[in-house]
Amino acid sequence: MRLWMMMMCAASLGAQVNFQAEVRPILAKRCWACHGPDENGRQAGVRLDVREAAVKNNLIVPGDSAKSRIVARVTHPTRPMPPSGPRLTEAEVDALKRWIDSGAKYEEHWAYRKPERRNLPAVKDEAWGRNAIDAFVLAKLEEKGLRPSGPADAATLARRVALDLTGMPPEAAVLEPYLRSPGAEAYEKYVDALLASPRFGERWAKVWLDLARYADTQGYEKDNRRVIWPYRDWVIRAFNENLPFDQFTVQQIAGDLLAEGTVEDLVATGFHRNTMTNTEGGTDDEEFRDLAVRDRVATTGQVWMGQTWGCAQCHTHKYDPLSHKEFYQLYAFLNQTEDNDHASDRPLLRLNKEVSTLVMRELAAGKQRKTRIFERGNFLTPGEEVEAGTPAFLPGLDKDAPRNRLGFAQWLVSRENPLTARVTVNRYWSRLMGRGIVETEEDFGTQGALPTHPELLDWLAVEFEQKWDTKGLLRLIVTSATYQQASAVTPDLLARDPQNQWYARGARFRLDAEVVRDQALAAAGLLSTKMYGPPVMPWQPEGVWQVVYNGDAWRTSQGEDRYRRAIYTFMRRTSSYPAMMNFDAPTGETCTVRRIRTNTPLQALTTLNDPVFMEAAQKLAAGAMTESPRDPGRAIFRRVLLREPNKLEQQRLALLYRQAEAELRAKPGNAQKLARFDEVLYKEDRPVTLLPDARTKPREWRYQTAEPVAGWEKADFDDTPWKAGPGYFGYFEKPDSAAALATPARTRWDTESIYLRIAVDLPEKMPSGFQMPIRTNCSHEIWVNGVPALTNVVYERAGHYEYELTAEGQKAFRPGRNVIAVKATRNNGTNVGQVFDAGLVAVAPLELGKPVRPDVVRAAWAVVANTVLNLDESLMRR
Amino acid sequence: MDWKLETARRATRRHFLKECTLGLAPMFLAEAQEGAAARLPVAKAKSVIYLHMAGSPSQLELFDPKPELVKYNGKPCPDELLKGKRFAFIKGVPKMLGTPYQFKQYGQAGTWVSELLPHFSQVVDEVTMVHSMSTDQFNHAPAQLFVQTGNPRFGYASMGAWATYGLGTENQDLPGFVVLTSGGNNPDGGKSLWGSGFLPSVYQGVHCRSQGDPVLFLSEPEGMTRSLRRKTLDALKDLNTIEKQEQGDPEIDSRVSQYELAYRMQITVPNVMDISREKPEVHAAYGTEPGKLSFANNCLLARRLVENGVRFVQLYHWGWDHHGSSRREDIRYALQPQARTVDQPLKALIQDLKQRGLLDQTLIVFGGEFGRTPMRENRGGVEGPYIGRDHHPYAYTMMLAGAGIQRGLNYGETDDIGYYVTKDKMTPRDLQATVLQQLGLDPYKLHYPYQGLNQRLIGPTDEGRVMKDLLI
């Protein structure tokens, strides 16, 4: 290995120099941080990013490396430049010298030149390719002395392209014709069916929503809910309808400014309303509005142009040609919208009686803001005023273009723009091929990686910007021979191309979080195909949602909403859905261009033990037993992997089945739980009301307002001298809502505190999971049979809210008579009135009856299904 | 080789390949290479226990006595203290507020501690009090994020994530970075406070819960026994091996190893998390009650975790935001019970670690995200019946102990009313640099390339200092 690399180095000595590949990376990485575009950070007045400055004072003497001071500085024996980090290697110094000797010509950074479409390269093996992509890939392979792998088998390919295009296994009606008679033509038909499936939009919308930092809450401390799912639905529709990418762009950035803008165009502007809103008490709205605008600038740069503009908010970019001032000129485009970090998230667009969603609105002409440079990025130290404008290193706005967000949006997708098509094509390529042609999808600047196949990237970019046809681009990629290769790898190939950057084999990578879930549910036959609408709450463990000052609760959805595709799962920024988080799904706090795929034991625990996956295993087994009563194991395997198990695999699964069956036969109680896992899991399906609250049949409580003697909260305390009255307790000066009017105060309470007691009888078979629906704006402490069970500080809350009792409180209940004692105390600052009302609900005990023999069989197959869902192959796209 | 690093390897192999120089052992990990490049020859601390008091306790009631302020009690706040200042809730001209609590000096160092912390006052000679902390954030979530992730905005890597990125963990069967919460709520900054930001998600803190599974999905689904689970894992291993033979991808082996680690965690984590195994005298010292959700329990857990090789234990204890807008936020009524929840466990933790010989290698940090104003809060410009203080970023107190930190030191000073730092100012950046240094990581070198920048915990500039004065 070492020898080989040295030979590589030796081979390049004395050869012609390639500025982009050899010299620019050295300068960019090792020099420009201190000797680059940022004049404030520039050391010793030396500038090496432009030739004019670099040739001053003999720093670089074109044609004469020996006289160039830079060479002496980087090779200085004791104090070499750069002062930190390792010395430049001999090869790096050599490249510098050769470059200087050959005239020290600077070239524009490759990504800032307009992509050009070149002729397809000549290849030796002309029989291999299927389309233009293959010519570029094969030419590189031949250059590297590599050979492409053979095509993947039909089942593998069918699963691969279905997961890539629709994020889930294909429907049988689509899959079967292809598997019956596979071939090039059948494959293309199969691909077209996938592209036409509504599932396509759901998959690719998710890719886009990572970029849009989409979530269903406002973020920051309180992280309250917001209604922005209409934007999510817009994205799904846009992908399904194959909205051309230029229109897709303009509508999202400036849909509100379009001449004949529709409601849909407005909803599309939700893209930049996904910035967070800080409603923490005492925050400065302008401070967080400013942060939102910066985020919009940075996100736009990331998403469309692969630029790290965020760096320039405090100072001129250290590496890329974007000045501090230019950042704020971009900022000025986005600084004229009405939203201002207000808790209400205004402006909103009313879609119907129930739904209003966040949209962009431009400030009226007279009310527009001035934009100033913020010194060191601090919004409290505004500097020079700037006008909206685009950076000098890129082509400018069209002469006639409006100088506002609309003009800016059109500029992003102008054919003169060298970056947008390249960045977009590269991103889609990466989702399909496992890595980008430019590996740093998020950075096409000077610090980013160089493209492995520059001509291919340009060819695709030019192709894409003809019609901005997203489906067409994806189709082109997945119908290439490159894409369709088998992914098996030999040790030799692994050593020569561990990252598969030359594509001598098909890509093999971990499934995204959403696909892990959707695949399991689809194989189980559980996955709902219901589209659109408010986010849903599939089961998650209790206690995951716990947010300061926000008693909002996760309530498991009912019916098919439990099994919707992952894209419809409620996303709370500060509390991700655990199964998503463990598999690296982003939180929506910032724009995520590229997910980093990790491999952790928490993932194993999730797919092994998360009850949602166990339920999927139960249903998968049940479905397989119906489909193939004689060989459920084979059917389980086929439902997940779309292929038949080989003989070894089949034997191993059969062994596992026998082991599981033997063990479960000995423990029929366990078998019953596994076979009927859904009944065990969904406690919500067995609610019982133990104490009705004021909304239904209010019961009489004992109460008094004076502080009682010690021990008043105990079960055996004699409360007969207390007064009696039904809830709710309190008064309202002006009932402020329909709910307040509907349930009047039945017992007036207007003093500081009130003490309440009530007895509740419980049956011999105890319910569990006690919760108290409480409506109050008062702080309260609650005891169950004298045991502290709940303490809450509450200022405002409109309706009833179900509080979970503490573990101690839960344990304090017993069959027969129980006493609940409450002390409620109003909080200062409430002048509209005070209210307290409570009830008690729980989950009825699970009645599974006596275990039966078929439970054992079903449970054993569920164990097998749980195992198959955890196979490496099941969790990979290969 | 620890599992965090092992798992990170595949994810970012690109760094390994890109940075690969001749002679580097291929076994060496990409992450380890970049993180480890910042390792120093000496590490004073093996572990950190960071006790974050979310909401920010009042230094003026606990650690920083100001007799002058007591004298000015009830007088209007001078204009020059208000000019150009932003407060969360104070409006107009508030009144000065002296503390209602008595302070005394304790220990050989003569450290001032208020009557609210009778236990802690007994161990002041073990710790360094920094009275001169100063931050630039005055809202909870941004201030918490700033001290914990080096940036007031979401999306950055937390201190514990940086520590495990740089050092890994010592116990393969436990997460390297564990988070425990108490006080009834998660901190304002939410899970981002222990997030991995741009670092691979293997480095994020694992929030261990006191109720239910300590780690989510640690226990088998109902009906699945441990022995049945073992059989499924054996089958998985065999089936994955068959796949490996056909596919050749080494990723398959790493999947197998993660499943085995998961299985070991299922056994190890509940054992470590079970404080009922401790002796009665230990429970008496900490004031712990097994099964309860409390700061005391979390302190004892923290000791058990570092004892078992966890690198970074982060406790968040909520409930210090005493604005005085209700009785429950009144410093006269609410501060004492709140102080009681931490006083005894804090002493017990320091003494327990010392007794076990762990204090020398465990860095303890205690404090909030900012301080409280010397003025009485007047929310909406009105003084209500209750008494409290607003957020105050300019001066507050933190405590450090163990692992090379001076014993019995009082560092830094504030002015007569506790408004500004007058001597030896220390910032969250300084704290971050010092914590990393004690862990044996060079705070200036510990970086991760992301979006064209070398991201660091201490931020882009070198203003964060290792606080040599605090170190032995």
Side-chain angles (χ1 to χ4, degrees), chain A residues 2 5-6 29 220-221 276 278 280-284 287-288 291 295 302 308 311 313 319 379-380 439-440 443 447 487-489 494 498-499 508 510 541-544 546-549 574-575 578 581-582 584 589-590 594 596-602 604-611 614 646 648-649 652-653 656 659-660 663-664 667 670 673-674 677 680 752 779 781 791 793 795 807-808 827-828 863 866-867 870-873 875-876 878, chain B residues 3 7 10-14 17-20 22-23 86-89 137-142 152-155 181 184-192 198-202 204 206 209 211 215-225 227-229 231-236 238-240 242-243 246-252 254-255 258-259 261-262 265-266 291-293 318 321 325-329 384-386 391 448 450-453:
Chain A
R2 180 182 292 209
M5 283 190 72
M6 282 173 65
K29 202 161 175 199
Y220 292 113
E221 183 205 43
M276 299 193 283
N278 194 347
E280 180 181 335
T283 50
D284 184 336
E287 179 175 358
F288 289 91
L291 281 181
D295 182 280
Q302 283 270 285
T308 54
C311 294
Q313 59 187 295
Y319 307 101
F379 90 108
L380 294 174
E439 196 200 357
T440 53
D443 193 358
Q447 296 293 294
S487 62
V489 62
L494 193 64
Q499 286 288 283
R508 187 177 188 285
R510 287 163 195 282
E542 277 166 22
V544 170
Q546 198 193 29
V547 186
V548 185
Y549 298 123
T574 53
S575 186
M581 188 177 70
N582 286 350
D584 309 316
E589 285 166 339
T590 53
R594 182 168 52 138
I596 296 180
R597 297 190 187 97
T598 63
N599 175 20
T600 70
L602 299 186
L605 291 172
T606 305
T607 41
L608 287 169
N609 294 341
D610 180 348
M614 193 61 228
N646 64 31
L648 267 178
E649 288 165 335
R652 190 61 187 84
L653 287 175
L656 175 64
Q659 291 171 326
E663 175 154 347
L664 290 163
K667 293 173 184 156
N670 285 343
K673 282 184 188 153
L674 285 173
F677 194 78
V680 178
E752 171 147 352
S779 296
E781 286 169 80
T791 308
V793 183
Y795 292 97
E808 292 86 5
N827 285 308
N828 182 48
V863 170
N866 174 262
T867 307
N870 276 282
L871 286 175
D872 177 73
E873 187 178 339
L875 298 166
M876 297 297 266
R878 59 161 206 163
Chain B
W3 66 263
T7 53
R10 314 288 173 190
T12 43
R13 213 161 33 183
R14 68 185 181 88
L17 290 158
K18 213 164 57 179
E19 314 280 317
C20 177
L22 293 175
R86 297 194 299 156
F87 295 98
F89 295 100
Q137 297 295 319
F138 68 99
N139 296 119
H140 293 294
R153 295 163 64 186
F154 286 95
T181 53
N185 263 319
N186 283 345
D188 313 67
K191 296 181 180 177
S192 298
F198 36 75
L199 291 176
S201 62
V202 285
Q204 80 198 351
V206 173
R209 311 176 329 145
Q211 287 166 358
V215 171
L216 285 177
F217 313 129
L218 194 66
S219 55
E220 284 88 4
E222 285 207 54
M224 179 77 80
T225 58
S227 74
L228 200 46
R229 175 54 79 215
K231 293 187 177 85
T232 67
L233 289 174
D234 290 342
L236 273 175
D238 291 346
L239 289 160
N240 286 337
I242 297 171
E243 195 208 3
E246 288 172 5
Q247 292 290 314
D249 188 342
E251 288 264 333
I252 300 168
S254 87
R255 168 109 49 200
Q258 291 313 309
Y259 273 71
L261 282 172
M265 270 176 78
Q266 289 188 287
K292 229 181 127 181
L293 206 167
W318 195 81
D321 199 15
S325 56
S326 71
R327 194 182 166 90
R328 278 163 191 280
E329 288 184 355
Y386 301 106
H391 308 163
Y448 187 82
Y450 177 71
Q451 292 200 348
L453 266 186

Side-chain angles (χ1 to χ4, degrees), chain A residues 228-525:
Chain A
I228 196 159
W229 53 263
Y231 165 73
R232 174 249 282 149
D233 289 351
W234 180 88
V235 178
I236 295 172
R237 288 195 180 94
F239 273 101
N240 275 337
E241 289 161 13
N242 199 21
L243 185 66
F245 187 77
D246 55 345
Q247 293 174 42
F248 180 70
T249 299
V250 172
Q251 289 176 28
Q252 291 185 78
I253 299 286
D256 56 319
L257 299 176
L258 289 171
E260 282 164 26
T262 61
V263 167
E264 291 291 286
D265 294 338
L266 268 171
V267 171
T269 63
F271 177 82
H272 269 328
R273 293 305 313 278
N274 280 303
T275 49
M276 299 193 283
T277 299
N278 194 347
T279 59
E280 180 181 335
T283 50
D284 184 336
D285 286 348
E286 180 58 17
E287 179 175 358
F288 289 91
R289 187 195 72 81
D290 163 58
L291 281 181
V293 178
R294 289 184 205 199
D295 182 280
R296 288 167 190 166
V297 176
T299 297
T300 307
Q302 283 270 285
V303 172
W304 277 272
M305 311 188 63
Q307 297 295 295
T308 54
W309 287 345
C311 294
Q313 59 187 295
C314 304
H315 51 73
T316 288
H317 203 290
K318 294 261 182 222
Y319 307 101
D320 295 344
L322 184 76
S323 71
H324 190 39
K325 179 175 175 180
E326 284 171 327
F327 176 87
Y328 287 94
Q329 289 183 297
L330 290 162
Y331 181 107
F333 282 118
L334 302 173
N335 194 24
Q336 307 301 350
T337 55
E338 283 179 22
D339 58 287
N340 60 355
D341 193 57
H342 194 271
S344 69
D345 264 337
R346 284 188 308 254
L348 301 170
L349 172 71
R350 196 172 170 140
L351 294 173
N352 58 44
K353 245 191 239 161
E354 284 96 43
V355 181
S356 295
T357 189
L358 286 73
V359 295
M360 284 284 196
R361 293 278 190 191
E362 195 80 338
L363 286 168
K367 291 188 174 164
Q368 298 229 325
R369 301 184 182 93
K370 288 194 162 64
T371 299
R372 293 175 185 281
I373 295 177
F374 292 141
E375 306 294 343
R376 285 184 306 281
N378 184 344
F379 90 108
L380 294 174
T381 51
E384 181 196 344
E385 190 178 328
V386 295
E387 295 288 324
T390 54
F393 75 96
L394 293 167
L397 288 191
D398 261 8
K399 262 205 320 287
D400 321 321
R403 305 266 146 193
N404 61 12
R405 235 175 337 111
L406 181 58
F408 176 62
Q410 288 161 345
W411 173 79
L412 287 175
V413 287
S414 147
R415 294 225 168 82
E416 294 307 306
N417 190 320
L419 287 161
T420 301
R422 276 194 184 117
V423 167
T424 309
V425 161
N426 186 61
R427 180 180 305 131
Y428 292 159
W429 176 274
S430 175
R431 296 292 92 82
L432 296 170
M433 305 297 294
R435 55 173 283 143
I437 297 172
V438 174
E439 196 200 357
T440 53
E441 287 169 50
E442 64 283 354
D443 193 358
F444 276 56
T446 60
Q447 296 293 294
L450 291 171
T452 50
H453 299 72
E455 295 84 9
L456 171 58
L457 181 64
D458 280 11
W459 191 93
L460 288 169
V462 173
E463 175 72 17
F464 183 53
E465 64 186 16
Q466 300 310 311
K467 292 188 197 152
W468 300 104
D469 174 1
T470 303
K471 282 191 184 182
L473 174 70
L474 300 180
R475 190 179 193 281
L476 186 70
I477 298 172
V478 302
T479 54
S480 69
T482 304
Y483 176 86
Q484 295 179 50
Q485 293 172 93
S487 62
V489 62
T490 60
D492 175 55
L493 183 52
L494 193 64
R496 293 180 64 185
D497 186 10
Q499 286 288 283
N500 198 22
Q501 59 178 329
W502 307 119
Y503 310 112
R505 60 184 184 274
R508 187 177 188 285
F509 52 84
R510 287 163 195 282
L511 297 181
D512 283 345
E514 293 82 1
V515 186
V516 171
R517 170 187 164 83
D518 291 353
Q519 171 185 255
L521 295 187

Side-chain angles (χ1 to χ4, degrees), chain B residues 427 429-430 444 456 458 461-465:
Chain B
T427 67
R429 292 242 178 275
D430 300 331
Y444 306 100
R456 302 186 304 184
I458 57 165
T461 67
D462 285 349
E463 67 199 34
R465 303 160 298 161

